[in-house]
Amino acid sequence: MIRLFDLSLKLNSFPIKKAKAELDKIVSFTEEEYNLFLESKKKEIVDFHLENNSFYKELTGNTNVNNWEDLPILNKQNLQKPLEERLSKGYSKKNIYLNKTSGSSGTPFVFAKDKYCHALTWASNIMRFGWFGIDFNHSYQARFYGIPMDFIGYQKERFKDFLTHRFRFPVFDLSDEVLEKFLKKFRIKKFDYINGYTSSIVLFAKYLEQKNIILKEVCPTLKACFVTSEMLFESDKKLLEKQFGIPIISEYGASELDLIAFENPQGEWQVNAETLFVEILDENNNPVPHGTEGKIVITSLFNKATPFIRYEIGDIGILDEKSTPQKPILKKLVGRTNDVAILPSGKKSPGLTFYYVTKSIIEDDGNVKEFIIKQTKLNTFEIEYVSEKELISEQIEKIKQAIDLYLEPNLIFNFTRKTVLERTNRGKLKQFKSYL
């Protein structure tokens, strides 16, 4: 059988064969070899960006770069500059992987990875899903994700679905009528696994519970379900296990980095120590002992296009006491929960739907710095944003058109420009909050 997935990466100039070989080598290191590898890669990535990236050189200033813990903490606000100001020498939009963060933290930005770094991200995905017998070239995925609604974007995404052997269930409308259609697909298609947004998959499981249906009995080929992007609570995990009849695996990642942690077959949330270096720090940016809560700070060991060195992702977590540098275990992750919006028509949409709605205001010129969305009534939403300039009527109109397209017409959206936004007691923005 043609390995379409690997072929699609190769055609896009992502050297997946080389990346898989390097990842295999890293995984096979002894403890001593790994420690040498980690220190070498940390030094190499810092030296590279000091030499080739004016943005990072300016950020470090007069810091003693020989002491890792003296290096500055990079935050999302630092990254809200035009991409051209953050790219390293030798990189342009022609030879990088380019994307935008979802803005789920309320602080969106455009990011870039060099093509080898992005190939390593895919090699990392392939390895971890492989722990559960999933092969991206052959296994058939039931994908619970959003999809662009414009014609070109929609067709492009559907073609990618074809190449990567997946069938997409768009999550913008999760009403009972739509969930019944989802169920019919599971009756006729031989899916190997489910992958997608936690809240959407949980809503589907609740629908199956109402119908007293076990999904594995409807679709016997199912092997596993992988949930991402939002917190999976223990009660929801039990519901998924009961209604799906298959293992439920949690992943924690960030599009600008890689998979950060992935539940291994032993049930541990194993941190990616092959392409990332993960630290847990206190409020003064000092490392905390394993078992202690702190902010998650991550270094991408391979990304030369833009620096992600000691990058504060905006989440709070705890590393297990049994963690080692080669095998860190994430004991607990705090945050990453999204409410579900209920609309006048009865449609239910997960909070991440608002990524697609607000995409039109995520500009690379750095104007809109942060935003949050609050549902105050069934048909009324408040968008509060921080920006250098007030949104003009044309921008607002563009957003409203997107809302009509992705959600439903006749919703009321009020826009309020603010100097600061309300944060949780942990200092994190919650992008979407329902007050219903």
Side-chain angles (χ1 to χ4, degrees), residues 290-302:
H290 291 341
T292 306
E293 188 177 285
K295 59 187 181 182
I296 299 174
V297 172
I298 302 176
T299 297
S300 176
L301 296 171
F302 287 90

Side-chain angles (χ1 to χ4, degrees), residues 37-53:
F37 154 80
L38 179 59
E39 291 310 309
S40 167
K41 289 306 292 183
K42 283 162 63 180
K43 184 176 188 316
E44 183 185 318
I45 200 70
V46 170
D47 289 349
F48 179 87
H49 284 300
L50 285 172
E51 181 70 30
N52 297 284
N53 193 286

Side-chain angles (χ1 to χ4, degrees), residues 103-106 335-340 371-374 421-424 427-434:
S104 60
S105 64
R336 290 217 154 190
T337 57
N338 275 3
D339 289 332
V340 173
F371 61 90
I372 53 174
I373 302 167
K374 300 176 181 178
L421 295 179
E422 179 188 345
R423 280 177 155 75
T424 67
K428 186 170 180 179
L429 284 173
K430 189 169 175 61
Q431 186 195 3
F432 176 77
K433 173 75 176 170
S434 174

Side-chain angles (χ1 to χ4, degrees), residues 188-337:
I188 60 173
K189 290 184 177 287
K190 294 182 178 179
F191 292 117
D192 292 289
Y193 67 113
I194 298 167
N195 188 17
Y197 299 152
T198 307
S199 59
S200 311
I201 293 171
V202 168
L203 280 172
F204 184 47
K206 286 178 179 175
Y207 178 74
L208 296 175
E209 186 180 39
Q210 286 171 12
K211 296 276 187 179
N212 198 25
I213 291 170
I214 306 298
L215 197 59
K216 175 78 170 172
E217 293 173 4
V218 169
C219 183
T221 52
L222 278 176
K223 296 186 183 78
C225 170
F226 303 86
V227 294
T228 189
S229 291
E230 302 155 324
M231 184 77 76
L232 176 64
F233 294 102
E234 194 56 38
S235 58
D236 287 336
K237 184 172 185 177
K238 285 176 182 171
L239 171 73
L240 292 175
E241 287 171 338
K242 175 173 167 276
Q243 295 308 137
F244 289 178
I246 53 178
I248 308 301
I249 297 103
S250 293
E251 63 173 64
Y252 165 45
S255 55
E256 65 271 33
L257 296 168
D258 200 332
L259 282 174
I260 299 166
F262 197 90
E263 195 173 334
N264 65 24
Q266 291 73 47
E268 302 164 317
W269 225 359
Q270 188 171 328
V271 172
N272 172 1
E274 293 82 38
T275 72
L276 304 176
F277 173 56
V278 176
E279 300 174 86
I280 309 289
L281 307 181
D282 65 18
E283 290 178 1
N284 298 315
N285 298 327
N286 297 313
V288 301
H290 291 341
T292 306
E293 188 177 285
K295 59 187 181 182
I296 299 174
V297 172
I298 302 176
T299 297
S300 176
L301 296 171
F302 287 90
N303 191 356
K304 292 183 175 178
T306 51
F308 283 96
I309 298 170
R310 307 200 84 201
Y311 165 57
E312 187 177 337
I313 195 165
D315 291 326
I316 305 292
I318 301 171
L319 283 181
D320 198 286
E321 289 85 345
K322 64 185 175 187
S323 295
T324 66
Q326 193 169 13
K327 190 183 175 183
I329 302 296
L330 189 62
K331 186 175 184 177
K332 185 182 177 186
L333 177 67
V334 181
R336 290 217 154 190
T337 57

Side-chain angles (χ1 to χ4, degrees), residues 30-208:
T30 64
E31 186 177 347
E32 186 181 353
E33 287 170 337
Y34 176 80
N35 290 336
L36 289 170
F37 154 80
L38 179 59
E39 291 310 309
S40 167
K41 289 306 292 183
K42 283 162 63 180
K43 184 176 188 316
E44 183 185 318
I45 200 70
V46 170
D47 289 349
F48 179 87
H49 284 300
L50 285 172
E51 181 70 30
N52 297 284
N53 193 286
S54 56
F55 161 76
Y56 190 66
K57 195 169 183 181
E58 185 182 331
L59 188 73
T60 53
N62 297 319
T63 303
N64 175 12
V65 295
N66 294 316
N67 186 356
W68 180 263
E69 290 175 9
D70 287 339
L71 290 172
I73 302 298
L74 179 67
N75 61 41
K76 296 188 181 189
Q77 287 77 19
N78 296 143
L79 298 168
Q80 286 186 309
K81 291 184 171 186
L83 183 66
E84 289 76 9
E85 294 179 22
R86 294 181 275 122
L87 280 175
S88 301
K89 282 179 203 168
Y91 292 98
S92 70
K93 289 185 178 179
K94 292 178 182 176
N95 64 353
I96 56 171
Y97 168 75
L98 183 66
N99 209 337
K100 292 178 181 176
T101 63
S102 69
S104 60
S105 64
T107 313
F109 60 89
V110 173
F111 68 89
K113 294 181 187 177
D114 64 82
K115 295 215 166 184
Y116 183 60
C117 175
H118 193 58
L120 274 167
T121 294
W122 275 117
S124 167
N125 274 266
I126 289 164
M127 179 183 77
R128 286 168 169 80
F129 277 79
W131 292 344
F132 297 90
I134 302 303
D135 177 348
F136 285 178
N137 284 291
H138 308 306
S139 301
Y140 195 21
Q141 179 191 141
R143 188 172 182 80
F144 283 70
Y145 268 72
I147 190 167
M149 299 293 267
D150 63 284
F151 180 78
I152 293 173
Y154 182 89
Q155 297 302 330
K156 193 175 177 183
E157 211 62 31
R158 286 295 188 193
F159 182 62
K160 277 165 64 179
D161 287 344
F162 166 73
L163 289 177
T164 49
H165 205 44
R166 61 199 188 197
F167 181 88
R168 188 178 300 241
F169 295 93
V171 297
F172 301 125
D173 182 355
L174 295 168
S175 54
D176 285 357
E177 295 80 7
V178 173
L179 292 174
E180 180 60 33
K181 290 176 184 174
F182 287 7
L183 180 57
K184 284 178 181 173
K185 291 292 183 187
F186 278 92
R187 291 187 192 278
I188 60 173
K189 290 184 177 287
K190 294 182 178 179
F191 292 117
D192 292 289
Y193 67 113
I194 298 167
N195 188 17
Y197 299 152
T198 307
S199 59
S200 311
I201 293 171
V202 168
L203 280 172
F204 184 47
K206 286 178 179 175
Y207 178 74
L208 296 175

